[in-house]
């Protein structure tokens, strides 16, 4: 679960890890956004990705879910390529990537997670409705199933998208800027849902520009500034040296709740 | 006109009015179904541009002497796909790409129209619609296209909603989001072409946007707003046509005005409901 230094480690493992990145390098418009990023995330792991704006957090997520091809390196999902693993990985999008003018009820958003299973030209069956109900209950959003997601609080919206991931049957969840627009009170509710899922053995990766979120909530911390600065338990890796490497000489960690929510790659 | 029955039945003594009513109703039903996506995706300018950019195709069809549909449908689909492609490829903003194509194609059409003197068409009819002039063949083509587009929109509904609500999430689960996007544009092009008969190039946008927007104001969820929009659209088109028949008004503008009236009513109703809720909480 720590940064890989040699490939022997992979070979030594009997069953491949849910998520492995091997030397992911991404060049976008002549800029090296990600530089030989390698790590593994095991089952039952909540991994936080921190780094300054432009560190490549969103780019890394886009590569993992298969939206962006890596210039070099590869992603393995349970040892298989992402193209062969559709449905296993679910993505909770950044708030501003969703078209909120298209108004949907929480129930309908979670049902979107069943789209592939339902199949083209078919309508939801009983099994699909049961999966949606169970996912909404796990995410503690069952009571709000008839609310429009656009009218929910930031934290509740995130939980609806987590429920969609569950309805999809995903065992790897990625949350890009998981806490952006989520107030402190509903952070706890979101984190408690994520901890439940982790305890059931799912692999969860979330990104945040705020180191304190990751330090408080995550088991593993991946410090990214186009390359991996450090990877391991938060208390081990969030050292002053690593913080300087990520945020520069004046770079103390952004203060918790500073509210800064800039643009990311 | 003595009674309501007379008012309603009077147009049916003319065959051209019966045809016009059928085409108008179909236009009114179809436009808001695509319009729901136009409104929520902010594709209004695109719809307007599609309508204007078909003019060269229409002139060619007149020159060849075939139904305008044969010129207009390929032009509209071509323009829609070209706009989609250019926006993705050139890095120019969508409204810039649309503006270039829109103005260029419309200018080309106008030039062709003035160069080819003696065409049996009236520019005003093209711009404002002349639903009273539709032939039985036009009705048949309109009916066929409407059924086809409606069937596709229903068949692809959950995928289209996913891709338009959360394109990244849809791509992650492996939906062909680009293909769905192009499909939506092509269907939008077809519906635009159908609507041209009723409201003309200039006012197509009113049928695409206004009833769908009125429905969005009234109805909470997207799918139901689509259905409500169809009702409002059909009502606008049919009432507009009756007004034009009884008061001798141009039919396209009459339909657009009725749609606008529905929107004002919807917005007013929403306001009123808001005030009432405020009063209730204050009490």
């Amino acid at each position: 679960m720590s940064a890989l230094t040699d490939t022997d480690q992979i070979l030594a493992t009997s069953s491949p890890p849910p998520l492995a990145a091997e030397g992911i390098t991404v060049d976008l418009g002549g800029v090296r956004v990600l530089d030989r990023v390698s790590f593994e995330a095991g089952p039952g792991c909540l991994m936080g990705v921190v780094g300054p704006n432009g560190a490549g957090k969103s780019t890394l997520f886009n590569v993992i879910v298969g939206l962006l091809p890596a210039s070099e390196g590869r992603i393995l999902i349970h040892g298989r390529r992402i193209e062969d693993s559709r449905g296993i990985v679910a993505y909770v999008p950044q708030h501003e990537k969703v078209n909120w003018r298209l108004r949907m009820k929480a129930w309908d958003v979670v049902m979107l997670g069943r789209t592939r299973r339902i199949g083209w030209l078919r309508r939801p069956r009983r099994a699909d409705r049961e999966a949606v109900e169970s996912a909404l209950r796990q995410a503690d959003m069952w009571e709000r199933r008839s609310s429009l997601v656009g009218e929910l609080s930031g934290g509740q919206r995130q939980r609806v998208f987590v429920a969609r991931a569950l309805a999809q049957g995903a065992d790897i969840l990625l949350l890009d800027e998981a806490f952006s627009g989520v107030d402190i009170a509903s952070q706890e509710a979101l984190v408690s849902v994520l901890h439940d899922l982790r305890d059931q053995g799912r692999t969860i990766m979330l990104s945040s520009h705020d180191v304190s979120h990751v330090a408080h909530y995550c088991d593993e911390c991946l410090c990214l500034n186009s390359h991996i600065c450090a990877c391991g338990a938060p208390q081990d890796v969030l050292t002053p040296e690593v913080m300087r490497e990520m945020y520069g000489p004046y770079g103390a960690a952004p203060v918790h709740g500073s509210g800064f929510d800039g643009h990311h790659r | 006109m003595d009674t309501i029955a007379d008012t309603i039945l009077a147009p049916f003594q003319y065959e051209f009015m019966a045809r016009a009513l059928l085409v108008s109703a179909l236009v009114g039903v179809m436009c808001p179904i695509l319009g729901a996506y136009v409104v929520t995706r902010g594709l209004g300018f695109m719809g307007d541009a599609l309508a204007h950019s078909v003019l060269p195709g229409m002139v060619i069809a007149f020159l060849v002497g075939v139904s305008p549909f044969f010129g207009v449908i390929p032009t509209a689909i071509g323009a829609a796909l070209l706009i989609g492609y250019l926006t993705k490829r050139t890095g120019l903003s969508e409204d810039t790409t649309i503006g270039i194509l829109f103005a260029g194609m419309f200018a080309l059409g106008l030039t062709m129209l003035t160069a080819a003197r003696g065409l049996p068409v009236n520019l005003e009819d093209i711009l404002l619609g002349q639903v009273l002039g539709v032939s039985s063949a036009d009705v048949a083509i309109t009916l066929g296209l409407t059924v086809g587009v409606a069937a596709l929109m229903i068949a692809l509904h959950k995928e289209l909603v996913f891709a338009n609500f959360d394109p990244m999430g849809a791509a992650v689960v492996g939906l062909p989001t680009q293909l769905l996007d192009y499909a939506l544009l092509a269907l939008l092009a077809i519906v635009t072409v159908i609507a041209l008969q009723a409201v003309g190039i200039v006012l197509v946008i009113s049928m695409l946007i206004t009833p769908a927007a009125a429905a969005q104001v009234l109805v909470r969820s997207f799918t139901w707003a689509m259905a409500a929009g169809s009702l409002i659209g059909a009502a606008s088109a049919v009432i507009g046509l009756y007004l034009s028949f009884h008061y001798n008004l141009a039919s396209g503008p009459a339909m657009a005005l009725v749609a606008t009236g529905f929107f004002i009513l919807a917005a007013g109703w929403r306001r009123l409901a808001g005030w009432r809720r405020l009063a209730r909480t204050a009490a």
Side-chain angles (χ1 to χ4, degrees), chain B residues 15-43:
Chain B
E15 212 175 296
F16 70 88
M17 271 306 288
R19 287 201 295 265
L21 270 169
L22 180 58
V23 167
S24 304
L26 290 174
V27 167
V29 167
M30 283 314 293
C31 280
I33 292 181
L34 271 299
Y37 289 103
V38 172
V39 169
T40 51
R41 281 272 303 274
L43 295 175

PDB file of all heavy atoms in Angstrom, chain B residues 15-43:
ATOM      1  N   GLU B  15     -59.129  21.558 -46.142  1.00  0.00           N
ATOM      2  CA  GLU B  15     -58.168  20.471 -45.983  1.00  0.00           C
ATOM      3  C   GLU B  15     -56.801  20.997 -45.562  1.00  0.00           C
ATOM      4  O   GLU B  15     -56.114  20.409 -44.734  1.00  0.00           O
ATOM      5  CB  GLU B  15     -58.056  19.708 -47.305  1.00  0.00           C
ATOM      6  CG  GLU B  15     -57.767  18.227 -47.111  1.00  0.00           C
ATOM      7  CD  GLU B  15     -57.805  17.519 -48.454  1.00  0.00           C
ATOM      8  OE1 GLU B  15     -58.888  17.489 -49.088  1.00  0.00           O
ATOM      9  OE2 GLU B  15     -56.750  17.037 -48.858  1.00  0.00           O
ATOM     10  N   PHE B  16     -56.397  22.164 -46.121  1.00  0.00           N
ATOM     11  CA  PHE B  16     -55.060  22.676 -45.782  1.00  0.00           C
ATOM     12  C   PHE B  16     -54.968  23.025 -44.311  1.00  0.00           C
ATOM     13  O   PHE B  16     -53.916  22.923 -43.696  1.00  0.00           O
ATOM     14  CB  PHE B  16     -54.701  23.880 -46.678  1.00  0.00           C
ATOM     15  CG  PHE B  16     -55.489  25.134 -46.401  1.00  0.00           C
ATOM     16  CD1 PHE B  16     -55.044  26.035 -45.437  1.00  0.00           C
ATOM     17  CD2 PHE B  16     -56.661  25.416 -47.088  1.00  0.00           C
ATOM     18  CE1 PHE B  16     -55.752  27.207 -45.182  1.00  0.00           C
ATOM     19  CE2 PHE B  16     -57.383  26.578 -46.838  1.00  0.00           C
ATOM     20  CZ  PHE B  16     -56.932  27.473 -45.874  1.00  0.00           C
ATOM     21  N   MET B  17     -56.116  23.422 -43.707  1.00  0.00           N
ATOM     22  CA  MET B  17     -56.091  23.737 -42.282  1.00  0.00           C
ATOM     23  C   MET B  17     -55.944  22.476 -41.440  1.00  0.00           C
ATOM     24  O   MET B  17     -55.265  22.469 -40.414  1.00  0.00           O
ATOM     25  CB  MET B  17     -57.370  24.477 -41.880  1.00  0.00           C
ATOM     26  CG  MET B  17     -57.310  25.972 -42.014  1.00  0.00           C
ATOM     27  SD  MET B  17     -55.920  26.737 -41.132  1.00  0.00           S
ATOM     28  CE  MET B  17     -56.432  26.552 -39.426  1.00  0.00           C
ATOM     29  N   ALA B  18     -56.594  21.409 -41.869  1.00  0.00           N
ATOM     30  CA  ALA B  18     -56.464  20.153 -41.135  1.00  0.00           C
ATOM     31  C   ALA B  18     -55.019  19.686 -41.158  1.00  0.00           C
ATOM     32  O   ALA B  18     -54.459  19.274 -40.134  1.00  0.00           O
ATOM     33  CB  ALA B  18     -57.382  19.095 -41.747  1.00  0.00           C
ATOM     34  N   ARG B  19     -54.399  19.787 -42.360  1.00  0.00           N
ATOM     35  CA  ARG B  19     -52.973  19.415 -42.455  1.00  0.00           C
ATOM     36  C   ARG B  19     -52.119  20.301 -41.555  1.00  0.00           C
ATOM     37  O   ARG B  19     -51.247  19.824 -40.826  1.00  0.00           O
ATOM     38  CB  ARG B  19     -52.502  19.560 -43.911  1.00  0.00           C
ATOM     39  CG  ARG B  19     -53.020  18.485 -44.860  1.00  0.00           C
ATOM     40  CD  ARG B  19     -52.147  18.395 -46.096  1.00  0.00           C
ATOM     41  NE  ARG B  19     -52.198  19.604 -46.906  1.00  0.00           N
ATOM     42  CZ  ARG B  19     -53.008  19.766 -47.960  1.00  0.00           C
ATOM     43  NH1 ARG B  19     -53.820  18.778 -48.320  1.00  0.00           N
ATOM     44  NH2 ARG B  19     -53.014  20.881 -48.644  1.00  0.00           N
ATOM     45  N   ALA B  20     -52.400  21.599 -41.585  1.00  0.00           N
ATOM     46  CA  ALA B  20     -51.610  22.545 -40.798  1.00  0.00           C
ATOM     47  C   ALA B  20     -51.746  22.251 -39.304  1.00  0.00           C
ATOM     48  O   ALA B  20     -50.773  22.307 -38.553  1.00  0.00           O
ATOM     49  CB  ALA B  20     -52.073  23.976 -41.096  1.00  0.00           C
ATOM     50  N   LEU B  21     -52.973  21.908 -38.891  1.00  0.00           N
ATOM     51  CA  LEU B  21     -53.180  21.612 -37.468  1.00  0.00           C
ATOM     52  C   LEU B  21     -52.386  20.391 -37.037  1.00  0.00           C
ATOM     53  O   LEU B  21     -51.757  20.382 -35.977  1.00  0.00           O
ATOM     54  CB  LEU B  21     -54.670  21.380 -37.203  1.00  0.00           C
ATOM     55  CG  LEU B  21     -55.461  22.634 -36.841  1.00  0.00           C
ATOM     56  CD1 LEU B  21     -56.953  22.347 -36.863  1.00  0.00           C
ATOM     57  CD2 LEU B  21     -55.037  23.153 -35.469  1.00  0.00           C
ATOM     58  N   LEU B  22     -52.388  19.368 -37.895  1.00  0.00           N
ATOM     59  CA  LEU B  22     -51.663  18.148 -37.551  1.00  0.00           C
ATOM     60  C   LEU B  22     -50.162  18.429 -37.436  1.00  0.00           C
ATOM     61  O   LEU B  22     -49.514  18.067 -36.443  1.00  0.00           O
ATOM     62  CB  LEU B  22     -51.935  17.063 -38.607  1.00  0.00           C
ATOM     63  CG  LEU B  22     -51.238  15.725 -38.365  1.00  0.00           C
ATOM     64  CD1 LEU B  22     -51.628  15.148 -37.009  1.00  0.00           C
ATOM     65  CD2 LEU B  22     -51.573  14.730 -39.472  1.00  0.00           C
ATOM     66  N   VAL B  23     -49.622  19.132 -38.455  1.00  0.00           N
ATOM     67  CA  VAL B  23     -48.186  19.426 -38.423  1.00  0.00           C
ATOM     68  C   VAL B  23     -47.840  20.295 -37.211  1.00  0.00           C
ATOM     69  O   VAL B  23     -46.859  20.047 -36.504  1.00  0.00           O
ATOM     70  CB  VAL B  23     -47.751  20.114 -39.738  1.00  0.00           C
ATOM     71  CG1 VAL B  23     -46.352  20.712 -39.599  1.00  0.00           C
ATOM     72  CG2 VAL B  23     -47.778  19.110 -40.878  1.00  0.00           C
ATOM     73  N   SER B  24     -48.681  21.294 -36.937  1.00  0.00           N
ATOM     74  CA  SER B  24     -48.408  22.176 -35.796  1.00  0.00           C
ATOM     75  C   SER B  24     -48.400  21.397 -34.490  1.00  0.00           C
ATOM     76  O   SER B  24     -47.535  21.602 -33.628  1.00  0.00           O
ATOM     77  CB  SER B  24     -49.469  23.277 -35.702  1.00  0.00           C
ATOM     78  OG  SER B  24     -49.526  23.981 -36.905  1.00  0.00           O
ATOM     79  N   ALA B  25     -49.376  20.506 -34.324  1.00  0.00           N
ATOM     80  CA  ALA B  25     -49.440  19.734 -33.089  1.00  0.00           C
ATOM     81  C   ALA B  25     -48.184  18.872 -32.944  1.00  0.00           C
ATOM     82  O   ALA B  25     -47.588  18.788 -31.855  1.00  0.00           O
ATOM     83  CB  ALA B  25     -50.689  18.858 -33.075  1.00  0.00           C
ATOM     84  N   LEU B  26     -47.748  18.253 -34.045  1.00  0.00           N
ATOM     85  CA  LEU B  26     -46.545  17.412 -33.983  1.00  0.00           C
ATOM     86  C   LEU B  26     -45.318  18.255 -33.608  1.00  0.00           C
ATOM     87  O   LEU B  26     -44.507  17.861 -32.773  1.00  0.00           O
ATOM     88  CB  LEU B  26     -46.311  16.709 -35.323  1.00  0.00           C
ATOM     89  CG  LEU B  26     -47.317  15.619 -35.690  1.00  0.00           C
ATOM     90  CD1 LEU B  26     -47.059  15.097 -37.107  1.00  0.00           C
ATOM     91  CD2 LEU B  26     -47.283  14.479 -34.689  1.00  0.00           C
ATOM     92  N   VAL B  27     -45.218  19.428 -34.237  1.00  0.00           N
ATOM     93  CA  VAL B  27     -44.111  20.328 -33.915  1.00  0.00           C
ATOM     94  C   VAL B  27     -44.159  20.711 -32.433  1.00  0.00           C
ATOM     95  O   VAL B  27     -43.155  20.686 -31.727  1.00  0.00           O
ATOM     96  CB  VAL B  27     -44.172  21.593 -34.801  1.00  0.00           C
ATOM     97  CG1 VAL B  27     -43.233  22.673 -34.287  1.00  0.00           C
ATOM     98  CG2 VAL B  27     -43.846  21.243 -36.244  1.00  0.00           C
ATOM     99  N   GLY B  28     -45.361  21.027 -31.978  1.00  0.00           N
ATOM    100  CA  GLY B  28     -45.520  21.447 -30.586  1.00  0.00           C
ATOM    101  C   GLY B  28     -45.150  20.358 -29.607  1.00  0.00           C
ATOM    102  O   GLY B  28     -44.598  20.623 -28.540  1.00  0.00           O
ATOM    103  N   VAL B  29     -45.423  19.108 -29.955  1.00  0.00           N
ATOM    104  CA  VAL B  29     -45.091  17.998 -29.062  1.00  0.00           C
ATOM    105  C   VAL B  29     -43.589  17.723 -29.081  1.00  0.00           C
ATOM    106  O   VAL B  29     -42.964  17.522 -28.039  1.00  0.00           O
ATOM    107  CB  VAL B  29     -45.867  16.720 -29.481  1.00  0.00           C
ATOM    108  CG1 VAL B  29     -45.312  15.503 -28.784  1.00  0.00           C
ATOM    109  CG2 VAL B  29     -47.339  16.881 -29.164  1.00  0.00           C
ATOM    110  N   MET B  30     -42.994  17.736 -30.275  1.00  0.00           N
ATOM    111  CA  MET B  30     -41.599  17.299 -30.404  1.00  0.00           C
ATOM    112  C   MET B  30     -40.590  18.328 -29.901  1.00  0.00           C
ATOM    113  O   MET B  30     -39.600  17.974 -29.281  1.00  0.00           O
ATOM    114  CB  MET B  30     -41.274  16.979 -31.872  1.00  0.00           C
ATOM    115  CG  MET B  30     -41.806  15.648 -32.337  1.00  0.00           C
ATOM    116  SD  MET B  30     -41.468  14.342 -31.157  1.00  0.00           S
ATOM    117  CE  MET B  30     -39.687  14.248 -31.265  1.00  0.00           C
ATOM    118  N   CYS B  31     -40.823  19.603 -30.212  1.00  0.00           N
ATOM    119  CA  CYS B  31     -39.819  20.615 -29.876  1.00  0.00           C
ATOM    120  C   CYS B  31     -39.436  20.615 -28.390  1.00  0.00           C
ATOM    121  O   CYS B  31     -38.250  20.631 -28.061  1.00  0.00           O
ATOM    122  CB  CYS B  31     -40.291  22.008 -30.305  1.00  0.00           C
ATOM    123  SG  CYS B  31     -40.036  22.280 -32.061  1.00  0.00           S
ATOM    124  N   PRO B  32     -40.403  20.568 -27.476  1.00  0.00           N
ATOM    125  CA  PRO B  32     -40.006  20.632 -26.063  1.00  0.00           C
ATOM    126  C   PRO B  32     -39.285  19.371 -25.576  1.00  0.00           C
ATOM    127  O   PRO B  32     -38.553  19.433 -24.582  1.00  0.00           O
ATOM    128  CB  PRO B  32     -41.340  20.801 -25.326  1.00  0.00           C
ATOM    129  CG  PRO B  32     -42.279  21.331 -26.356  1.00  0.00           C
ATOM    130  CD  PRO B  32     -41.858  20.693 -27.638  1.00  0.00           C
ATOM    131  N   ILE B  33     -39.464  18.245 -26.254  1.00  0.00           N
ATOM    132  CA  ILE B  33     -38.756  17.034 -25.828  1.00  0.00           C
ATOM    133  C   ILE B  33     -37.255  17.242 -26.032  1.00  0.00           C
ATOM    134  O   ILE B  33     -36.442  16.981 -25.149  1.00  0.00           O
ATOM    135  CB  ILE B  33     -39.263  15.804 -26.609  1.00  0.00           C
ATOM    136  CG1 ILE B  33     -40.716  15.516 -26.195  1.00  0.00           C
ATOM    137  CG2 ILE B  33     -38.388  14.587 -26.337  1.00  0.00           C
ATOM    138  CD1 ILE B  33     -41.324  14.313 -26.880  1.00  0.00           C
ATOM    139  N   LEU B  34     -36.895  17.773 -27.210  1.00  0.00           N
ATOM    140  CA  LEU B  34     -35.498  18.151 -27.419  1.00  0.00           C
ATOM    141  C   LEU B  34     -35.178  19.423 -26.641  1.00  0.00           C
ATOM    142  O   LEU B  34     -34.069  19.595 -26.128  1.00  0.00           O
ATOM    143  CB  LEU B  34     -35.229  18.379 -28.910  1.00  0.00           C
ATOM    144  CG  LEU B  34     -34.794  17.182 -29.754  1.00  0.00           C
ATOM    145  CD1 LEU B  34     -33.484  16.636 -29.232  1.00  0.00           C
ATOM    146  CD2 LEU B  34     -35.825  16.080 -29.775  1.00  0.00           C
ATOM    147  N   GLY B  35     -36.190  20.283 -26.545  1.00  0.00           N
ATOM    148  CA  GLY B  35     -36.006  21.567 -25.863  1.00  0.00           C
ATOM    149  C   GLY B  35     -35.586  21.398 -24.412  1.00  0.00           C
ATOM    150  O   GLY B  35     -34.846  22.222 -23.878  1.00  0.00           O
ATOM    151  N   ALA B  36     -36.045  20.317 -23.767  1.00  0.00           N
ATOM    152  CA  ALA B  36     -35.665  20.088 -22.374  1.00  0.00           C
ATOM    153  C   ALA B  36     -34.146  20.004 -22.258  1.00  0.00           C
ATOM    154  O   ALA B  36     -33.544  20.527 -21.320  1.00  0.00           O
ATOM    155  CB  ALA B  36     -36.320  18.810 -21.860  1.00  0.00           C
ATOM    156  N   TYR B  37     -33.495  19.344 -23.234  1.00  0.00           N
ATOM    157  CA  TYR B  37     -32.030  19.278 -23.234  1.00  0.00           C
ATOM    158  C   TYR B  37     -31.430  20.622 -23.643  1.00  0.00           C
ATOM    159  O   TYR B  37     -30.420  21.051 -23.102  1.00  0.00           O
ATOM    160  CB  TYR B  37     -31.534  18.179 -24.182  1.00  0.00           C
ATOM    161  CG  TYR B  37     -31.816  16.788 -23.679  1.00  0.00           C
ATOM    162  CD1 TYR B  37     -32.851  16.026 -24.207  1.00  0.00           C
ATOM    163  CD2 TYR B  37     -31.053  16.247 -22.660  1.00  0.00           C
ATOM    164  CE1 TYR B  37     -33.117  14.758 -23.741  1.00  0.00           C
ATOM    165  CE2 TYR B  37     -31.307  14.967 -22.176  1.00  0.00           C
ATOM    166  CZ  TYR B  37     -32.342  14.227 -22.729  1.00  0.00           C
ATOM    167  OH  TYR B  37     -32.604  12.975 -22.256  1.00  0.00           O
ATOM    168  N   VAL B  38     -32.074  21.267 -24.620  1.00  0.00           N
ATOM    169  CA  VAL B  38     -31.574  22.571 -25.071  1.00  0.00           C
ATOM    170  C   VAL B  38     -31.527  23.547 -23.895  1.00  0.00           C
ATOM    171  O   VAL B  38     -30.534  24.229 -23.669  1.00  0.00           O
ATOM    172  CB  VAL B  38     -32.465  23.124 -26.200  1.00  0.00           C
ATOM    173  CG1 VAL B  38     -32.077  24.554 -26.531  1.00  0.00           C
ATOM    174  CG2 VAL B  38     -32.352  22.239 -27.438  1.00  0.00           C
ATOM    175  N   VAL B  39     -32.613  23.562 -23.108  1.00  0.00           N
ATOM    176  CA  VAL B  39     -32.698  24.503 -21.994  1.00  0.00           C
ATOM    177  C   VAL B  39     -31.692  24.151 -20.896  1.00  0.00           C
ATOM    178  O   VAL B  39     -30.994  25.020 -20.382  1.00  0.00           O
ATOM    179  CB  VAL B  39     -34.140  24.528 -21.435  1.00  0.00           C
ATOM    180  CG1 VAL B  39     -34.206  25.273 -20.125  1.00  0.00           C
ATOM    181  CG2 VAL B  39     -35.071  25.154 -22.451  1.00  0.00           C
ATOM    182  N   THR B  40     -31.584  22.870 -20.556  1.00  0.00           N
ATOM    183  CA  THR B  40     -30.706  22.522 -19.433  1.00  0.00           C
ATOM    184  C   THR B  40     -29.230  22.506 -19.836  1.00  0.00           C
ATOM    185  O   THR B  40     -28.370  22.657 -18.987  1.00  0.00           O
ATOM    186  CB  THR B  40     -31.072  21.153 -18.820  1.00  0.00           C
ATOM    187  OG1 THR B  40     -31.139  20.191 -19.872  1.00  0.00           O
ATOM    188  CG2 THR B  40     -32.403  21.202 -18.117  1.00  0.00           C
ATOM    189  N   ARG B  41     -28.952  22.301 -21.094  1.00  0.00           N
ATOM    190  CA  ARG B  41     -27.553  22.299 -21.523  1.00  0.00           C
ATOM    191  C   ARG B  41     -27.092  23.663 -22.033  1.00  0.00           C
ATOM    192  O   ARG B  41     -25.919  23.862 -22.331  1.00  0.00           O
ATOM    193  CB  ARG B  41     -27.359  21.286 -22.660  1.00  0.00           C
ATOM    194  CG  ARG B  41     -27.248  19.849 -22.215  1.00  0.00           C
ATOM    195  CD  ARG B  41     -25.818  19.464 -21.889  1.00  0.00           C
ATOM    196  NE  ARG B  41     -24.911  19.680 -23.002  1.00  0.00           N
ATOM    197  CZ  ARG B  41     -24.679  18.807 -23.979  1.00  0.00           C
ATOM    198  NH1 ARG B  41     -25.295  17.661 -23.965  1.00  0.00           N
ATOM    199  NH2 ARG B  41     -23.838  19.085 -24.939  1.00  0.00           N
ATOM    200  N   GLY B  42     -28.022  24.603 -22.160  1.00  0.00           N
ATOM    201  CA  GLY B  42     -27.646  25.897 -22.704  1.00  0.00           C
ATOM    202  C   GLY B  42     -27.321  25.822 -24.185  1.00  0.00           C
ATOM    203  O   GLY B  42     -26.359  26.420 -24.654  1.00  0.00           O
ATOM    204  N   LEU B  43     -28.133  25.080 -24.940  1.00  0.00           N
ATOM    205  CA  LEU B  43     -27.894  24.906 -26.372  1.00  0.00           C
ATOM    206  C   LEU B  43     -28.790  25.801 -27.230  1.00  0.00           C
ATOM    207  O   LEU B  43     -28.955  25.546 -28.418  1.00  0.00           O
ATOM    208  CB  LEU B  43     -28.129  23.443 -26.773  1.00  0.00           C
ATOM    209  CG  LEU B  43     -27.189  22.397 -26.196  1.00  0.00           C
ATOM    210  CD1 LEU B  43     -27.643  20.992 -26.591  1.00  0.00           C
ATOM    211  CD2 LEU B  43     -25.767  22.638 -26.657  1.00  0.00           C
TER     212      LEU B  43
END
